[in-house]
């Protein structure tokens, strides 16, 4: 089985994919430049210069700064244009002084909020969008970023009627949900971005980014066909622009998709094409990002020497290695590569660097949060002092307030002490209860293991000893049956007995499970339950063959008990069994069209469900039963954990 890097890296990698703002530009630059030189009113020329700055700002900050400065000189006393000018001041400052830029964004929004025309609404939306990104998204406060996007930026974008800007907001909102690992919500907004931008020619850069991100999500979640379809859509959009920087995202996404699909040669070919184009376009960072994809393809191909060389090269490249998260990825990649090469000293050295960097990042994030809390505390403290000074004119009232404050403080201290004692008591009781539950689980685990071992022994004895004896007796009787016809009924009874004996031995320890594994045993079990009156379907997906045999037997027993319950109690005519494995998580779903039952009643306390719960607890899992009252059908969903090898990560 292929070995990948840990899945955690997939989440880190997915946040590193940059986005190129080509093709084509939002405005016609030549036309705008000519218009700016015409003898028009200053307000019109200023607006034109600002549009030129907007069009250049993602590609050449020097040109953007030049045009923004020309527009600013024509603003004069126009409050509306002053707000727009402040927006570009903040935009250009964001690269070097993000906190100052965030404050200027709010000043710009304050100037513009008295205007209700669509252009002013669009700039207000842009202010909130960039403010949320600088102050929250870039500082890992993704929840606050999402709130500002949904409550401020997107409603204003909708009012402005600018579909390209609205589509970009949906796209960036999806990145926020993706950082929180809420992939279904991220996919919803990615599709909404595509729907919004589909017919907008000037929004092709954002549309290609949406297709690229959707392809990435589907690659990492195990949907290769959908991932390939989204990459094809992106490629078709870019065909008219063969030298567009957005092709670098395409090659990176295609390389990642092919690596996940274990098509390593094709993945390397895509990465090399992207690297060649990045060199041609002189895009240093995208070239290094493609080298990272090449490393993952080489590593998973087990071309470890080349993978090591690429990773070592990247470990010294700027600006890629300047980003702490990139260093984290490369260090870890070198750890596992040297480990595979059996160079333990080098692997240990890189592991130390990886651990130190990870601890440093965690400490930095903690300090940032503490600083934010301290700022909030100081603001609250300053406000309290102002209130105290305003009340100081009346000494008697001030003394009374201090007395009340002291009494209140003492009350709070007493209440706090009581709360601590109460929490301590509850903590002790819960800890004791948890210990008892763990002990009970250990006992149940031991009982289940002994039970399965005894089942296996008895099944082997029945099959090998008693089965052989009955077969031998049948042969001996068959030899003399020709002379004594009255023995034929006895031989028939022996046939039935041998068949029944084999069925009992199979139920106690299915031979199919021992010989061919869990998936084949489950298919065989469903076939055994299927009759003319009952159809049992079995769907298995990504079940790994290296699950330990004891855990395979436990899963088999859980499913066997669930099917038995459905047949005995539900009077069902159709049963669907679905099994799916994702890394070390194993999911079981059994649905039937039977008469259902009241999940609050004692049916769940029968011996069958007790056995199921004990086995689920043995695998540290959980069980959920859905059986709506007055409706047919029952759905039982189980999630357990197995010790199958976890696939290594893929690039993002």
């Amino acid at each position: 089985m292929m070995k990948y890097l840990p899945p955690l890296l997939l989440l880190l990698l997915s946040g590193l994919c940059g986005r190129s703002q080509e093709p084509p530009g939002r405005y016609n630059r030549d036309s705008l430049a000519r218009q700016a030189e015409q003898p028009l009113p200053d307000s019109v020329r200023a607006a034109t210069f600002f549009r030129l700055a907007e069009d250049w700002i993602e590609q050449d900050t020097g040109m953007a700064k030049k045009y923004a400065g020309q527009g600013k000189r024509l603003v004069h006393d126009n409050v509306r244009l002053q707000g727009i000018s402040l927006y570009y001041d903040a935009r250009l400052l964001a690269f070097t002084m993000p906190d100052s830029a965030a404050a200027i964004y709010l000043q710009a929004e304050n100037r513009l909020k008295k205007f209700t025309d669509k252009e002013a609404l669009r700039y207000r939306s842009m202010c909130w969008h960039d403010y949320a990104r600088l102050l929250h998204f870039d500082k890992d406060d993704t929840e606050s970023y999402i709130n500002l996007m949904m409550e401020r930026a997107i409603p204003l974008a909708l009012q402005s009627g600018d579909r390209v800007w609205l589509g970009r907001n949906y796209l960036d909102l999806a990145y926020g949900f993706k950082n929180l690992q809420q992939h279904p919500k991220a996919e919803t907004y990615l599709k909404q971005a595509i729907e919004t931008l589909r017919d907008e020619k000037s929004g092709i850069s954002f549309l290609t980014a949406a297709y690229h991100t959707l392809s990435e999500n589907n690659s990492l979640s195990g949907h290769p066909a959908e991932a390939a379809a989204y990459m094809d859509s992106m490629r078709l959009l870019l065909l008219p622009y063969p030298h567009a920087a957005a092709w670098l995202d395409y090659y990176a996404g295609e390389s990642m998709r092919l690596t996940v699909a274990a098509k390593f040669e094709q993945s390397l070919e895509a990465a090399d094409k992207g690297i060649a184009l990045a060199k041609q376009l002189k895009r240093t960072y995208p070239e290094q990002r493609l080298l990272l994809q090449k490393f993952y393809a080489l590593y998973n191909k087990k071309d470890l020497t080349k993978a090591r060389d690429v990773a070592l090269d990247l470990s010294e490249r700027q600006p890629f290695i300047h980003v702490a998260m990139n260093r984290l990825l490369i260090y870890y990649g070198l750890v596992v590569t040297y480990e595979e090469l059996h160079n333990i000293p080098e692997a240990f050295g890189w592991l130390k660097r990886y651990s130190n960097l990870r601890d440093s990042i965690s400490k930095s994030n903690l300090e940032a949060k503490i600083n934010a809390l301290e700022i909030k505390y100081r603001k609250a403290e300053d406000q309290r002092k102002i209130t105290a000074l305003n009340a100081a004119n009346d000494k008697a009232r001030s003394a009374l307030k201090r007395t009340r404050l002291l009494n209140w403080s003492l009350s709070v201290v007493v209440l706090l002490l009581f709360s601590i004692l109460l929490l301590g008591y509850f903590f002790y009781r819960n800890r004791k209860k948890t210990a008892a539950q763990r002990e009970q689980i250990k006992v149940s685990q031991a009982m289940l293991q002994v039970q399965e071992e005894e089942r296996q022994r008895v099944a082997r004895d029945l099959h090998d000893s008693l089965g052989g004896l009955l077969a031998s007796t049948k042969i001996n009787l068959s030899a003399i049956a020709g002379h004594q016809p009255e023995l034929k009924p006895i031989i028939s009874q022996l046939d039935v007995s041998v068949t029944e004996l084999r069925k009992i031995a199979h139920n106690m320890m299915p031979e199919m499970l021992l010989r061919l594994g869990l998936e084949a045993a489950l298919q065989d079990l469903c076939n055994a339950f299927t009759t003319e009156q009952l159809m049992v379907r079995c769907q298995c997906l990504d079940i790994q063959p290296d699950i330990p045999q004891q855990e395979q037997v436990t899963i088999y027993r859980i499913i066997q008990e669930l099917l038995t319950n459905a047949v005995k109690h539900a009077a069902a005519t159709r049963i669907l069994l679905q099994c799916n494995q994702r890394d070390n998580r194993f999911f079981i779903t059994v649905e039937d069209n039977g008469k259902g039952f009241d999940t609050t009643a004692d049916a769940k306390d029968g011996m069958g469900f007790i056995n199921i719960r004990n086995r689920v607890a043995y695998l540290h899992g959980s069980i959920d039963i859905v059986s709506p009252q007055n409706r047919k059908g029952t759905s039982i969903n189980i999630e357990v954990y197995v010790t199958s090898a976890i696939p290594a990560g893929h690039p993002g």
Side-chain angles (χ1 to χ4, degrees):
M1 185 177 66
M2 191 191 320
K3 182 177 179 184
Y4 297 105
L5 294 178
L8 171 63
L9 296 185
L10 301 178
L11 304 176
L12 300 175
L13 285 166
S14 62
L16 297 176
C17 294
R19 188 169 68 241
S20 303
Q21 302 304 319
E22 294 182 35
R26 189 125 159 100
Y27 306 105
N28 187 320
R29 291 173 182 168
D30 294 337
S31 175
L32 287 175
R34 287 193 298 270
Q35 181 179 328
E37 300 303 325
Q38 296 299 317
L40 298 170
D42 285 353
S43 59
V44 176
R45 294 180 62 216
T48 305
F49 280 125
F50 288 142
R51 287 175 187 166
L52 280 166
E54 176 69 25
D55 206 46
W56 279 104
I57 203 160
E58 295 288 349
Q59 300 172 45
D60 189 331
T61 54
M63 291 293 291
K65 189 174 183 179
K66 167 190 167 184
Y67 286 121
Q70 289 177 321
K72 189 173 184 178
R73 285 193 288 272
L74 299 172
V75 166
H76 307 307
D77 295 328
N78 189 316
V79 177
R80 184 176 176 279
L81 288 176
Q82 286 174 1
I84 296 174
S85 177
L86 282 171
Y87 167 79
Y88 287 105
D89 286 345
R91 188 87 181 270
L92 292 166
L93 198 61
F95 298 97
T96 54
M97 301 176 66
D99 290 334
S100 299
I104 298 174
Y105 278 129
L106 292 183
Q107 293 176 27
E109 203 280 338
N110 189 55
R111 294 280 181 96
L112 291 166
K113 67 182 179 182
K114 64 178 70 175
F115 301 98
T116 57
D117 60 282
K118 291 187 175 182
E119 188 73 0
L121 290 169
R122 185 174 75 89
Y123 272 108
R124 288 182 62 197
S125 174
M126 293 162 69
C127 287
W128 282 114
H129 171 279
D130 291 2
Y131 173 84
R133 177 177 57 81
L134 281 180
L135 209 59
H136 298 293
F137 188 88
D138 291 349
K139 296 184 178 180
D140 294 327
D141 185 7
T142 309
E143 292 180 3
S144 298
Y145 168 80
I146 288 174
N147 288 337
L148 283 175
M149 289 292 293
M150 298 187 76
E151 294 174 9
R152 300 283 190 169
I154 289 178
L156 288 167
L158 278 166
Q159 294 176 52
S160 75
D162 188 327
R163 293 184 63 80
V164 174
W165 177 246
L166 178 62
R168 177 177 178 178
N169 274 265
Y170 287 140
L171 177 62
D172 290 345
L173 179 60
Y175 290 147
F177 282 116
K178 187 179 177 187
N179 275 14
L180 292 179
Q181 302 179 38
Q182 296 183 20
H183 297 292
K185 284 189 178 180
E187 186 154 335
T188 296
Y189 284 105
L190 285 169
K191 290 179 178 178
Q192 199 163 349
I194 289 173
E195 199 61 34
T196 305
L197 296 165
R198 195 185 302 276
D199 300 322
E200 302 295 325
K201 186 176 181 181
S202 60
I204 290 179
S205 60
F206 305 120
L207 186 57
T208 57
Y211 279 128
H212 171 261
T213 308
L214 269 174
S215 173
E216 175 189 279
N217 282 356
N218 280 277
S219 289
L220 299 181
S221 57
H223 300 101
E226 291 86 343
Y230 287 126
M231 290 307 296
D232 287 342
S233 297
M234 182 181 182
R235 182 177 60 82
L236 289 174
L237 280 172
L238 291 174
L239 283 177
Y241 314 100
H243 300 293
W247 279 104
L248 302 177
D249 283 340
Y250 171 80
Y251 288 124
E254 187 69 357
S255 177
M256 187 207 71
R257 181 184 72 81
L258 292 167
T259 297
V260 173
K263 298 178 180 179
F264 305 124
E265 292 297 338
Q266 297 177 43
S267 173
L268 289 169
E269 184 179 348
D272 286 336
K273 286 182 179 178
I275 291 168
L277 179 60
K279 289 179 178 178
Q280 180 183 344
L281 298 177
K282 297 181 180 180
R283 296 295 182 96
T284 304
Y285 187 84
E287 176 192 351
Q288 294 165 0
R289 192 159 55 84
L290 283 155
L291 282 170
L292 181 65
Q293 300 295 339
K294 186 173 183 178
F295 162 73
Y296 283 112
L298 289 168
Y299 174 84
N300 287 290
K301 183 188 173 187
K302 297 305 176 187
D303 196 344
L304 299 174
T305 303
K306 289 184 179 179
R308 177 203 62 196
D309 293 342
V310 172
L312 286 172
D313 179 37
L314 266 179
S315 71
E316 298 177 354
R317 290 240 191 166
Q318 294 289 349
F320 183 84
I321 207 64
H322 180 72
V323 180
M325 201 59 68
N326 290 354
R327 293 201 301 276
L328 203 65
L329 296 175
I330 288 299
Y331 292 171
Y332 189 85
L334 284 166
V335 171
V336 295
T337 303
Y338 274 116
E339 184 182 8
E340 292 271 343
L341 288 169
H342 305 294
N343 190 338
I344 304 305
E346 284 290 341
F348 180 72
W350 286 104
L351 179 61
K352 285 180 65 178
R353 297 174 71 171
Y354 168 79
S355 300
N356 291 338
L357 178 59
R358 184 183 58 187
D359 294 343
S360 175
I361 291 173
S362 299
K363 182 180 178 182
S364 176
N365 291 340
L366 179 61
E367 288 176 351
K369 291 179 180 178
I370 290 173
N371 290 336
L373 288 173
E374 186 178 5
I375 290 171
K376 291 181 180 179
Y377 169 77
R378 286 178 178 173
K379 287 182 178 178
E381 186 67 15
D382 290 343
Q383 186 63 40
R384 189 190 67 79
K385 289 179 179 178
I386 291 171
T387 303
L389 288 172
N390 290 336
N393 294 329
D394 191 341
K395 292 184 180 181
R397 289 178 60 187
S398 297
L400 181 60
K401 286 181 180 180
R402 286 195 296 270
T403 303
R404 287 177 178 174
L405 181 61
L406 180 60
N407 292 337
W408 180 82
S409 300
L410 290 173
S411 300
V412 169
V413 170
V414 172
L415 183 61
L416 183 61
L417 289 173
F418 176 75
S419 300
I420 292 172
L421 290 173
L422 192 63
L423 287 172
Y425 168 73
F426 281 118
F427 176 76
Y428 169 76
R429 192 174 70 174
N430 288 337
R431 188 173 180 181
K432 188 175 181 181
K433 183 179 179 181
T434 302
Q437 289 174 343
R438 287 177 180 171
E439 188 64 29
Q440 184 178 0
I441 290 174
K442 286 182 180 179
V443 172
S444 298
Q445 290 174 348
M447 291 177 63
L448 286 172
Q449 187 170 354
V450 171
Q451 186 183 56
E452 291 300 337
E453 290 174 355
E454 186 63 16
R455 278 174 178 265
Q456 188 172 1
R457 185 189 66 78
V458 173
R460 188 170 57 249
D461 290 347
L462 285 173
H463 185 275
D464 296 344
S465 179
L466 185 55
L469 182 60
L470 288 174
S472 175
T473 303
K474 175 190 171 183
I475 292 171
N476 292 333
L477 287 175
S478 297
I480 61 176
H483 305 290
Q484 300 183 27
E486 64 273 11
L487 292 176
K488 289 184 179 179
I490 299 174
I491 294 173
S492 297
Q493 290 177 348
L494 274 174
D495 281 336
V496 173
S497 299
V498 170
T499 301
E500 193 64 28
L501 178 65
R502 287 175 179 170
K503 186 184 296 184
I504 292 171
H506 178 78
N507 285 335
M508 295 189 73
M509 182 52 64
E511 184 179 355
M512 185 73 73
L513 178 64
L514 300 177
R515 289 193 296 108
L516 299 180
L518 179 59
E519 184 171 345
L522 293 177
Q523 294 283 357
D524 184 60
L525 177 65
C526 291
N527 292 337
F529 273 95
T530 300
T531 65
E532 292 183 359
Q533 294 78 29
L534 175 63
M535 182 178 72
V536 182
R537 290 177 56 205
C538 179
Q539 297 177 350
C540 296
L541 181 65
D542 296 335
I543 297 180
Q544 302 300 320
D546 60 346
I547 300 175
Q549 188 179 93
Q550 179 61 37
E551 294 178 3
Q552 291 189 40
V553 170
T554 303
I555 293 172
Y556 181 88
R557 293 296 181 210
I558 292 171
I559 295 171
Q560 186 180 40
E561 193 70 52
L562 290 172
L563 294 178
T564 301
N565 284 349
V567 172
K568 287 173 60 178
H569 304 299
T573 59
R574 292 193 304 275
I575 300 176
L576 172 64
L577 166 65
Q578 293 179 314
C579 295
N580 178 26
Q581 184 178 353
R582 295 181 185 173
D583 300 335
N584 65 335
R585 294 191 298 169
F586 197 99
F587 303 91
I588 304 167
T589 298
V590 176
E591 297 180 352
D592 66 66
N593 66 341
K595 60 186 178 181
F597 65 94
D598 184 359
T599 57
T600 61
D602 293 337
K604 294 194 300 183
D605 297 326
M607 185 58 68
F609 266 102
I610 291 175
N611 287 336
I612 291 171
R613 282 202 299 269
N614 286 340
R615 289 187 169 95
V616 170
Y618 173 70
L619 296 178
H620 309 288
S622 60
I623 180 169
D624 178 51
I625 304 171
V626 180
S627 186
Q629 293 185 5
N630 302 322
R631 288 175 59 186
K632 280 192 172 184
T634 299
S635 176
I636 300 178
N637 302 294
I638 295 175
E639 177 183 357
V640 296
Y641 290 84
V642 296
T643 54
S644 173
I646 301 175
H650 318 305

